Amino acid sequence: MSNTLNRPIRVLVAKVGLDGHDRGAKVIATSLRDAGMEVIYTGLRQTPEMVVNTALQEDVDAIGISILSGAHMTVFPKIIDVMKQKGLNDVLLTGGGIIPETDMKKLKEIGVGELFAPGTTMVTIVDYIKNWVAEHRNF
């Protein structure tokens, strides 16, 4: 499926909380950029509010959260709540890291998109974002 926007897909990549391991986030950001997307990388120690505010300011199509700290059941619901408060209903919230399958299922039930475990190919992640944006943001 091809991107139907008249501009590159814009993706915000963020690390929330005290998780200081950002190598994976940087690899993802570089790979998305290599796939033709515009990537905004916020760096470490972001709050959910900072992430959503940056997403609004940068008019992104997707937010990707890298999380290895085990705080995913706190971080993703909080980001979803702030997104709803700010009216960001047409932006994909996705991410990856060390997240058990049962938690991934619960997070998807509250509106989080696909979550990717370590070892997922970049083609899988790029295709998912491109297809989601083509389906939900073709304006």
Side-chain angles (χ1 to χ4, degrees):
M1 196 175 288
S2 65
N3 177 18
T4 56
L5 295 176
N6 293 325
R7 60 170 171 72
I9 294 171
R10 296 176 57 82
V11 182
L12 175 70
V13 176
K15 295 289 293 186
V16 177
L18 300 177
D19 183 352
H21 302 281
D22 64 348
R23 179 180 287 172
K26 289 178 178 176
V27 168
I28 296 287
T30 301
S31 296
L32 295 176
R33 193 171 302 121
D34 289 349
M37 298 182 197
E38 289 183 14
V39 179
I40 300 95
Y41 176 59
T42 63
L44 299 170
R45 296 178 184 82
Q46 300 293 299
T47 65
E49 292 82 3
M50 292 165 72
V51 169
V52 174
N53 285 336
T54 302
L56 276 166
Q57 292 167 0
E58 296 289 344
D59 189 28
V60 300
D61 302 299
I63 300 170
I65 302 297
S66 168
I67 192 152
L68 301 171
S69 65
H72 51 272
M73 294 304 287
T74 302
V75 168
F76 282 103
K78 181 63 176 167
I79 292 172
I80 286 280
D81 287 345
V82 177
M83 288 174 73
K84 287 178 182 172
Q85 290 169 19
K86 304 265 183 172
L88 229 55
N89 303 316
D90 61 348
V91 172
L92 170 63
L93 176 59
T94 185
I98 309 298
I99 305 171
E101 193 67 41
T102 55
D103 290 350
M104 285 185 184
K105 186 175 185 293
K106 290 176 188 170
L107 291 169
K108 286 179 190 176
E109 288 171 2
I110 65 163
V112 177
E114 194 68 37
L115 295 167
F116 301 99
T120 303
T121 67
M122 283 311 309
V123 170
T124 301
I125 296 168
V126 167
D127 285 349
Y128 172 71
I129 292 171
K130 284 183 176 179
N131 289 333
W132 191 97
V133 169
E135 186 175 329
H136 295 92
R137 303 238 339 148
N138 57 348
F139 41 78

